[in-house]
Amino acid sequence: MSLPPAHDDVMGLAAGFPSTGPDAWAELAAAVVNRSRPEDRRVDGAGAREALTSHLPGGLDIDPIYWPEPGRALGLPGAMPFTRGRGPRHPDLPWDVRQLHDDPDAATSRAAVLDDLERGVSSVWLHVGADGIAAGDVAEVLTDVMVDLAPVVVSSSDDQPAAAAALVAAWETKGVDPALVAGSLGHDPIGQVAARGGTPDLAPLADAVATCRDRFTGVRAITVDARVHHDAGASDQDEIALALATALDYVRHLSQAGIDPAEAFRRIDFRVAATADQFATIAKLRALRRTWARVGEVLEVPEPDRGAWVHAVTSWRMQTRTDPWVNLLRDTIACFAAAAGGADAITVLPYDHALGLPTAFSRRVARNTQSLLSSESNVARVADPAGGSAYVESLTDELARAAWAWFGQLDAAGGAAAGLASGAVAERLAATRADRDAALATRTLPLTGTSTFPLAGEQLLQRTARVRLPGEGLPRRRDGEVFEALRERTATGDVSVPVLALGPAREHTARLTFVANLLGVAGIRPDVVEVTDAADIAAADAPVVIIASSRTGYEALAEASVASLRSAGVQRVLVAGSATELGGTTVDGEIRDGMDVVAFLTELLDLLDTPRAPQAGADA
């Protein structure tokens, strides 16, 4: 059979379009940026680039556009430097769909595990200990699981050896061939110290690795769980660096116990957070594999063993208790990013995870999120689908280099455990967290349904709370907690603020909507009074009043409105927008985009004499 003839009429998609370089693009961008700027604030090409650049907590910048770098080697999946993944995807099971179970009621967890496995989940994750399933109940929870088909992993915040021993005992009770068993024993003593304080005990690691090497050959002994750092405020590069440093501490300890680095690499996997910043998550997973492969290269680990096995979990830090349905969107984006980034296993936390123990419905939605992406959307039909993108390749490179630099500093100072003991890790994460808090407070980093577009009159979902273990580890906090604390202050009563909407609707609607949404962040109801004539202004019996309108509305009615409010004894008059629009009328503050929303609403609730909510610790 002869091959079909070659065709010369290949369509050039860019044919006929003029070529544009970076400098020309910048000038075009400046022309667009300057359209909304006054004459004295106009920028050139370089200024336009800066105006359109995003600055991430942790020091990385996202440029407005990326250009291909000639000569950049992309590499292949399954080969050094493993940036593009550990190998091609399986067409029927592109990644391990893993569900978390931590309900302390053994019967409930047993039923939930079976339900998940029968409906799309491919592996089981049991959280064992005082804040989850009791070690003595692990065998009962796994009663219905065919462990030669479904991998099982355990984690623990208080007794990892007991959790591992319980899992081994459950496998042995099944009587299946140990070589057919897969999963992880979940040892991570440095991670446990990061979460709860204390001194890490690495003694059980060698025996755990030997057990896997000699009997359960398809099982990994150690899981480096970097989510503890993520939840404490780590940037993506911080998370990678601490994962590398922790894993290297384990490899060195095992080497001293007579276990060579290659065997150690085979028995270690990584657990990282996947967030709704899809490109950052994709790049993080790629950079983690690249940097871990470099560690293996330095340690002369055979190339096939250098690929990092990565379990991605949708971020607890990004979840909100208020309007938790938005978590469905966040989790879907995070799951997509984890898949595109080449995660070997993915766990989607239920949308109500931050509220407490999930329901059967929320677990169903979590597992079906993965099923839809893998089976119907075909997200993972191509290995490393983002590979070759100038943006993704550049971001991967920046994350890898930034993580490698701090990893080197940590290693020079004694490693991950030493960094925790000295306080260096806590200090760095606190600084990054402060940057993130500032972006959250000004809504540069918005939380839909919580810091923006709040659901008015919302009644929080009620769930069974998890046990919170005491400890002195790294602080653990969700992004939405500060806003949820504001909402708690108004949950027990009707708290309102008068808002004078000056002029006709066309003049005040935009800023009235902005004010209403801003007040709603703290659960404050805007008591709207429309003022179309100076004669309509009535005395307001309130410590604070907001006026909202356009420049035209302010010119017509602001002076009379403010004078009337002052004479009525209103302590503070605030204006939506800029006070310069009021001419010579003096007010006590501005409400505008870019302000510190947390500080403003806290001060406002104090002025309204709303009691502060009790201080809460880390939850769920």
Side-chain angles (χ1 to χ4, degrees), residues 373-410:
L373 288 171
S374 64
S375 301
E376 296 189 21
S377 301
N378 297 308
V379 167
R381 286 293 180 182
V382 176
D384 191 34
S389 158
Y391 172 34
V392 172
E393 295 293 350
S394 177
L395 185 56
T396 299
D397 187 67
E398 287 186 44
L399 280 176
R401 292 181 183 279
W404 190 262
W406 193 42
F407 164 57
Q409 295 172 18
L410 280 169

mmCIF file of all heavy atoms in Angstrom, residues 373-410:
data_model
loop_
_atom_site.group_PDB
_atom_site.id
_atom_site.type_symbol
_atom_site.label_atom_id
_atom_site.label_comp_id
_atom_site.label_asym_id
_atom_site.label_seq_id
_atom_site.Cartn_x
_atom_site.Cartn_y
_atom_site.Cartn_z
ATOM 1 N N LEU A 373 -14.261 15.192 34.643
ATOM 2 C CA LEU A 373 -13.054 15.709 34.000
ATOM 3 C C LEU A 373 -12.290 14.614 33.272
ATOM 4 O O LEU A 373 -11.764 14.830 32.175
ATOM 5 C CB LEU A 373 -12.157 16.395 35.033
ATOM 6 C CG LEU A 373 -12.661 17.742 35.555
ATOM 7 C CD1 LEU A 373 -11.809 18.216 36.721
ATOM 8 C CD2 LEU A 373 -12.650 18.789 34.448
ATOM 9 N N SER A 374 -12.201 13.431 33.878
ATOM 10 C CA SER A 374 -11.401 12.370 33.269
ATOM 11 C C SER A 374 -12.157 11.611 32.185
ATOM 12 O O SER A 374 -11.614 11.338 31.111
ATOM 13 C CB SER A 374 -10.924 11.388 34.346
ATOM 14 O OG SER A 374 -12.022 10.719 34.950
ATOM 15 N N SER A 375 -13.438 11.282 32.438
ATOM 16 C CA SER A 375 -14.166 10.409 31.527
ATOM 17 C C SER A 375 -14.945 11.162 30.458
ATOM 18 O O SER A 375 -15.090 10.677 29.331
ATOM 19 C CB SER A 375 -15.131 9.521 32.325
ATOM 20 O OG SER A 375 -14.432 8.740 33.277
ATOM 21 N N GLU A 376 -15.479 12.321 30.791
ATOM 22 C CA GLU A 376 -16.299 13.057 29.834
ATOM 23 C C GLU A 376 -15.560 14.221 29.183
ATOM 24 O O GLU A 376 -15.726 14.482 27.996
ATOM 25 C CB GLU A 376 -17.575 13.559 30.515
ATOM 26 C CG GLU A 376 -18.475 12.428 31.003
ATOM 27 C CD GLU A 376 -19.826 12.916 31.483
ATOM 28 O OE1 GLU A 376 -20.224 14.030 31.087
ATOM 29 O OE2 GLU A 376 -20.480 12.187 32.243
ATOM 30 N N SER A 377 -14.746 14.922 29.972
ATOM 31 C CA SER A 377 -14.004 16.058 29.409
ATOM 32 C C SER A 377 -12.668 15.647 28.815
ATOM 33 O O SER A 377 -12.030 16.429 28.112
ATOM 34 C CB SER A 377 -13.785 17.129 30.490
ATOM 35 O OG SER A 377 -15.017 17.573 30.998
ATOM 36 N N ASN A 378 -12.220 14.421 29.133
ATOM 37 C CA ASN A 378 -10.974 13.897 28.550
ATOM 38 C C ASN A 378 -9.771 14.792 28.802
ATOM 39 O O ASN A 378 -8.924 14.985 27.934
ATOM 40 C CB ASN A 378 -11.143 13.656 27.043
ATOM 41 C CG ASN A 378 -12.189 12.607 26.746
ATOM 42 O OD1 ASN A 378 -12.135 11.506 27.299
ATOM 43 N ND2 ASN A 378 -13.154 12.934 25.912
ATOM 44 N N VAL A 379 -9.717 15.340 30.011
ATOM 45 C CA VAL A 379 -8.656 16.291 30.343
ATOM 46 C C VAL A 379 -7.272 15.669 30.198
ATOM 47 O O VAL A 379 -6.326 16.322 29.756
ATOM 48 C CB VAL A 379 -8.864 16.823 31.781
ATOM 49 C CG1 VAL A 379 -7.628 17.553 32.273
ATOM 50 C CG2 VAL A 379 -10.076 17.736 31.829
ATOM 51 N N ALA A 380 -7.147 14.400 30.551
ATOM 52 C CA ALA A 380 -5.811 13.791 30.604
ATOM 53 C C ALA A 380 -5.516 12.876 29.423
ATOM 54 O O ALA A 380 -4.654 12.010 29.508
ATOM 55 C CB ALA A 380 -5.655 13.016 31.904
ATOM 56 N N ARG A 381 -6.211 13.059 28.319
ATOM 57 C CA ARG A 381 -5.906 12.238 27.148
ATOM 58 C C ARG A 381 -4.514 12.528 26.603
ATOM 59 O O ARG A 381 -3.915 11.699 25.930
ATOM 60 C CB ARG A 381 -6.950 12.490 26.056
ATOM 61 C CG ARG A 381 -8.297 11.867 26.335
ATOM 62 C CD ARG A 381 -8.240 10.357 26.296
ATOM 63 N NE ARG A 381 -9.530 9.740 26.571
ATOM 64 C CZ ARG A 381 -9.739 8.436 26.627
ATOM 65 N NH1 ARG A 381 -8.743 7.604 26.422
ATOM 66 N NH2 ARG A 381 -10.931 7.966 26.906
ATOM 67 N N VAL A 382 -4.021 13.721 26.888
ATOM 68 C CA VAL A 382 -2.682 14.110 26.449
ATOM 69 C C VAL A 382 -1.816 14.341 27.678
ATOM 70 O O VAL A 382 -2.228 15.035 28.608
ATOM 71 C CB VAL A 382 -2.729 15.398 25.596
ATOM 72 C CG1 VAL A 382 -1.332 15.850 25.216
ATOM 73 C CG2 VAL A 382 -3.590 15.180 24.365
ATOM 74 N N ALA A 383 -0.650 13.743 27.710
ATOM 75 C CA ALA A 383 0.280 13.992 28.810
ATOM 76 C C ALA A 383 0.826 15.416 28.700
ATOM 77 O O ALA A 383 1.208 15.857 27.620
ATOM 78 C CB ALA A 383 1.425 12.976 28.769
ATOM 79 N N ASP A 384 0.816 16.115 29.838
ATOM 80 C CA ASP A 384 1.344 17.482 29.902
ATOM 81 C C ASP A 384 0.773 18.371 28.808
ATOM 82 O O ASP A 384 1.509 18.906 27.972
ATOM 83 C CB ASP A 384 2.873 17.458 29.826
ATOM 84 C CG ASP A 384 3.498 18.818 30.152
ATOM 85 O OD1 ASP A 384 2.928 19.533 30.998
ATOM 86 O OD2 ASP A 384 4.531 19.149 29.562
ATOM 87 N N PRO A 385 -0.555 18.572 28.810
ATOM 88 C CA PRO A 385 -1.155 19.384 27.739
ATOM 89 C C PRO A 385 -0.708 20.839 27.738
ATOM 90 O O PRO A 385 -0.798 21.506 26.709
ATOM 91 C CB PRO A 385 -2.663 19.275 28.035
ATOM 92 C CG PRO A 385 -2.747 18.951 29.488
ATOM 93 C CD PRO A 385 -1.551 18.091 29.771
ATOM 94 N N ALA A 386 -0.237 21.347 28.878
ATOM 95 C CA ALA A 386 0.221 22.740 28.939
ATOM 96 C C ALA A 386 1.673 22.892 28.508
ATOM 97 O O ALA A 386 2.163 24.015 28.365
ATOM 98 C CB ALA A 386 0.049 23.292 30.351
ATOM 99 N N GLY A 387 2.373 21.786 28.312
ATOM 100 C CA GLY A 387 3.775 21.846 27.926
ATOM 101 C C GLY A 387 3.971 22.570 26.605
ATOM 102 O O GLY A 387 3.215 22.353 25.648
ATOM 103 N N GLY A 388 4.961 23.437 26.557
ATOM 104 C CA GLY A 388 5.227 24.204 25.352
ATOM 105 C C GLY A 388 4.640 25.593 25.392
ATOM 106 O O GLY A 388 5.061 26.459 24.624
ATOM 107 N N SER A 389 3.654 25.827 26.278
ATOM 108 C CA SER A 389 3.124 27.177 26.453
ATOM 109 C C SER A 389 4.225 28.063 27.014
ATOM 110 O O SER A 389 4.852 27.728 28.030
ATOM 111 C CB SER A 389 1.933 27.149 27.411
ATOM 112 O OG SER A 389 1.707 28.402 28.004
ATOM 113 N N ALA A 390 4.458 29.195 26.370
ATOM 114 C CA ALA A 390 5.519 30.096 26.837
ATOM 115 C C ALA A 390 5.266 30.514 28.284
ATOM 116 O O ALA A 390 6.200 30.621 29.087
ATOM 117 C CB ALA A 390 5.613 31.317 25.935
ATOM 118 N N TYR A 391 4.002 30.766 28.625
ATOM 119 C CA TYR A 391 3.652 31.172 29.996
ATOM 120 C C TYR A 391 3.933 30.043 30.978
ATOM 121 O O TYR A 391 4.615 30.227 32.000
ATOM 122 C CB TYR A 391 2.181 31.586 30.032
ATOM 123 C CG TYR A 391 1.627 31.849 31.416
ATOM 124 C CD1 TYR A 391 2.409 32.397 32.426
ATOM 125 C CD2 TYR A 391 0.295 31.568 31.703
ATOM 126 C CE1 TYR A 391 1.883 32.649 33.682
ATOM 127 C CE2 TYR A 391 -0.236 31.824 32.952
ATOM 128 C CZ TYR A 391 0.563 32.353 33.945
ATOM 129 O OH TYR A 391 0.041 32.602 35.192
ATOM 130 N N VAL A 392 3.423 28.842 30.702
ATOM 131 C CA VAL A 392 3.580 27.729 31.628
ATOM 132 C C VAL A 392 5.046 27.336 31.762
ATOM 133 O O VAL A 392 5.523 27.060 32.869
ATOM 134 C CB VAL A 392 2.727 26.524 31.178
ATOM 135 C CG1 VAL A 392 3.035 25.291 32.026
ATOM 136 C CG2 VAL A 392 1.241 26.871 31.268
ATOM 137 N N GLU A 393 5.770 27.306 30.665
ATOM 138 C CA GLU A 393 7.187 26.936 30.734
ATOM 139 C C GLU A 393 7.967 27.964 31.543
ATOM 140 O O GLU A 393 8.830 27.620 32.361
ATOM 141 C CB GLU A 393 7.777 26.801 29.331
ATOM 142 C CG GLU A 393 7.190 25.665 28.504
ATOM 143 C CD GLU A 393 7.523 24.285 29.057
ATOM 144 O OE1 GLU A 393 8.364 24.181 29.972
ATOM 145 O OE2 GLU A 393 6.926 23.309 28.583
ATOM 146 N N SER A 394 7.665 29.256 31.335
ATOM 147 C CA SER A 394 8.369 30.302 32.083
ATOM 148 C C SER A 394 8.020 30.241 33.564
ATOM 149 O O SER A 394 8.904 30.347 34.423
ATOM 150 C CB SER A 394 8.009 31.674 31.510
ATOM 151 O OG SER A 394 8.618 32.711 32.252
ATOM 152 N N LEU A 395 6.727 30.069 33.878
ATOM 153 C CA LEU A 395 6.314 29.998 35.277
ATOM 154 C C LEU A 395 6.902 28.774 35.961
ATOM 155 O O LEU A 395 7.335 28.848 37.120
ATOM 156 C CB LEU A 395 4.784 29.979 35.359
ATOM 157 C CG LEU A 395 4.163 30.037 36.760
ATOM 158 C CD1 LEU A 395 4.647 31.253 37.540
ATOM 159 C CD2 LEU A 395 2.638 30.031 36.661
ATOM 160 N N THR A 396 6.932 27.645 35.262
ATOM 161 C CA THR A 396 7.561 26.436 35.814
ATOM 162 C C THR A 396 9.020 26.692 36.139
ATOM 163 O O THR A 396 9.517 26.320 37.212
ATOM 164 C CB THR A 396 7.449 25.275 34.810
ATOM 165 O OG1 THR A 396 6.071 24.990 34.551
ATOM 166 C CG2 THR A 396 8.135 24.027 35.348
ATOM 167 N N ASP A 397 9.709 27.344 35.211
ATOM 168 C CA ASP A 397 11.131 27.622 35.410
ATOM 169 C C ASP A 397 11.347 28.563 36.595
ATOM 170 O O ASP A 397 12.239 28.338 37.422
ATOM 171 C CB ASP A 397 11.702 28.240 34.127
ATOM 172 C CG ASP A 397 13.205 28.408 34.185
ATOM 173 O OD1 ASP A 397 13.918 27.394 34.209
ATOM 174 O OD2 ASP A 397 13.671 29.567 34.231
ATOM 175 N N GLU A 398 10.519 29.613 36.693
ATOM 176 C CA GLU A 398 10.665 30.562 37.807
ATOM 177 C C GLU A 398 10.391 29.884 39.149
ATOM 178 O O GLU A 398 11.112 30.109 40.127
ATOM 179 C CB GLU A 398 9.713 31.740 37.605
ATOM 180 C CG GLU A 398 10.127 32.694 36.503
ATOM 181 C CD GLU A 398 9.221 33.916 36.470
ATOM 182 O OE1 GLU A 398 8.913 34.465 37.531
ATOM 183 O OE2 GLU A 398 8.816 34.309 35.362
ATOM 184 N N LEU A 399 9.330 29.059 39.206
ATOM 185 C CA LEU A 399 9.028 28.354 40.452
ATOM 186 C C LEU A 399 10.154 27.400 40.822
ATOM 187 O O LEU A 399 10.557 27.319 41.998
ATOM 188 C CB LEU A 399 7.712 27.580 40.311
ATOM 189 C CG LEU A 399 6.417 28.362 40.470
ATOM 190 C CD1 LEU A 399 5.223 27.463 40.193
ATOM 191 C CD2 LEU A 399 6.312 28.946 41.877
ATOM 192 N N ALA A 400 10.646 26.666 39.839
ATOM 193 C CA ALA A 400 11.719 25.709 40.108
ATOM 194 C C ALA A 400 12.975 26.403 40.627
ATOM 195 O O ALA A 400 13.595 25.955 41.594
ATOM 196 C CB ALA A 400 12.033 24.908 38.843
ATOM 197 N N ARG A 401 13.338 27.506 40.009
ATOM 198 C CA ARG A 401 14.547 28.223 40.419
ATOM 199 C C ARG A 401 14.380 28.868 41.792
ATOM 200 O O ARG A 401 15.297 28.827 42.627
ATOM 201 C CB ARG A 401 14.917 29.276 39.368
ATOM 202 C CG ARG A 401 15.374 28.674 38.052
ATOM 203 C CD ARG A 401 15.755 29.721 37.021
ATOM 204 N NE ARG A 401 16.125 29.110 35.766
ATOM 205 C CZ ARG A 401 17.319 28.583 35.498
ATOM 206 N NH1 ARG A 401 18.280 28.618 36.415
ATOM 207 N NH2 ARG A 401 17.566 28.031 34.320
ATOM 208 N N ALA A 402 13.202 29.467 42.045
ATOM 209 C CA ALA A 402 12.964 30.090 43.346
ATOM 210 C C ALA A 402 12.936 29.038 44.440
ATOM 211 O O ALA A 402 13.501 29.228 45.529
ATOM 212 C CB ALA A 402 11.653 30.870 43.317
ATOM 213 N N ALA A 403 12.268 27.910 44.179
ATOM 214 C CA ALA A 403 12.211 26.829 45.167
ATOM 215 C C ALA A 403 13.596 26.242 45.413
ATOM 216 O O ALA A 403 13.983 25.967 46.557
ATOM 217 C CB ALA A 403 11.251 25.737 44.687
ATOM 218 N N TRP A 404 14.350 26.072 44.352
ATOM 219 C CA TRP A 404 15.690 25.479 44.477
ATOM 220 C C TRP A 404 16.613 26.384 45.300
ATOM 221 O O TRP A 404 17.416 25.897 46.094
ATOM 222 C CB TRP A 404 16.280 25.226 43.099
ATOM 223 C CG TRP A 404 17.526 24.405 43.115
ATOM 224 C CD1 TRP A 404 18.808 24.856 43.054
ATOM 225 C CD2 TRP A 404 17.602 22.981 43.229
ATOM 226 N NE1 TRP A 404 19.694 23.805 43.120
ATOM 227 C CE2 TRP A 404 18.981 22.643 43.221
ATOM 228 C CE3 TRP A 404 16.669 21.968 43.322
ATOM 229 C CZ2 TRP A 404 19.421 21.312 43.309
ATOM 230 C CZ3 TRP A 404 17.095 20.645 43.404
ATOM 231 C CH2 TRP A 404 18.457 20.336 43.401
ATOM 232 N N ALA A 405 16.459 27.686 45.123
ATOM 233 C CA ALA A 405 17.305 28.626 45.872
ATOM 234 C C ALA A 405 17.034 28.515 47.372
ATOM 235 O O ALA A 405 17.969 28.451 48.176
ATOM 236 C CB ALA A 405 17.057 30.051 45.385
ATOM 237 N N TRP A 406 15.749 28.503 47.757
ATOM 238 C CA TRP A 406 15.463 28.412 49.196
ATOM 239 C C TRP A 406 15.738 27.011 49.728
ATOM 240 O O TRP A 406 16.188 26.846 50.867
ATOM 241 C CB TRP A 406 14.026 28.818 49.509
ATOM 242 C CG TRP A 406 13.837 29.033 50.990
ATOM 243 C CD1 TRP A 406 14.703 29.662 51.840
ATOM 244 C CD2 TRP A 406 12.745 28.596 51.802
ATOM 245 N NE1 TRP A 406 14.212 29.649 53.125
ATOM 246 C CE2 TRP A 406 13.007 29.006 53.129
ATOM 247 C CE3 TRP A 406 11.566 27.912 51.527
ATOM 248 C CZ2 TRP A 406 12.128 28.734 54.179
ATOM 249 C CZ3 TRP A 406 10.686 27.663 52.572
ATOM 250 C CH2 TRP A 406 10.980 28.063 53.889
ATOM 251 N N PHE A 407 15.500 26.004 48.912
ATOM 252 C CA PHE A 407 15.858 24.632 49.295
ATOM 253 C C PHE A 407 17.346 24.541 49.614
ATOM 254 O O PHE A 407 17.752 23.911 50.606
ATOM 255 C CB PHE A 407 15.474 23.687 48.161
ATOM 256 C CG PHE A 407 16.112 22.324 48.233
ATOM 257 C CD1 PHE A 407 15.950 21.502 49.343
ATOM 258 C CD2 PHE A 407 16.887 21.861 47.180
ATOM 259 C CE1 PHE A 407 16.537 20.240 49.395
ATOM 260 C CE2 PHE A 407 17.480 20.612 47.219
ATOM 261 C CZ PHE A 407 17.312 19.803 48.332
ATOM 262 N N GLY A 408 18.164 25.194 48.795
ATOM 263 C CA GLY A 408 19.603 25.193 49.057
ATOM 264 C C GLY A 408 19.938 25.865 50.373
ATOM 265 O O GLY A 408 20.801 25.385 51.133
ATOM 266 N N GLN A 409 19.251 26.957 50.680
ATOM 267 C CA GLN A 409 19.492 27.647 51.953
ATOM 268 C C GLN A 409 19.054 26.780 53.137
ATOM 269 O O GLN A 409 19.746 26.702 54.157
ATOM 270 C CB GLN A 409 18.744 28.973 51.960
ATOM 271 C CG GLN A 409 19.236 29.972 50.931
ATOM 272 C CD GLN A 409 18.338 31.192 50.845
ATOM 273 O OE1 GLN A 409 17.557 31.477 51.739
ATOM 274 N NE2 GLN A 409 18.433 31.926 49.733
ATOM 275 N N LEU A 410 17.904 26.138 53.003
ATOM 276 C CA LEU A 410 17.428 25.246 54.062
ATOM 277 C C LEU A 410 18.409 24.103 54.287
ATOM 278 O O LEU A 410 18.745 23.746 55.428
ATOM 279 C CB LEU A 410 16.056 24.668 53.697
ATOM 280 C CG LEU A 410 14.833 25.551 53.922
ATOM 281 C CD1 LEU A 410 13.614 24.922 53.247
ATOM 282 C CD2 LEU A 410 14.574 25.736 55.407
#
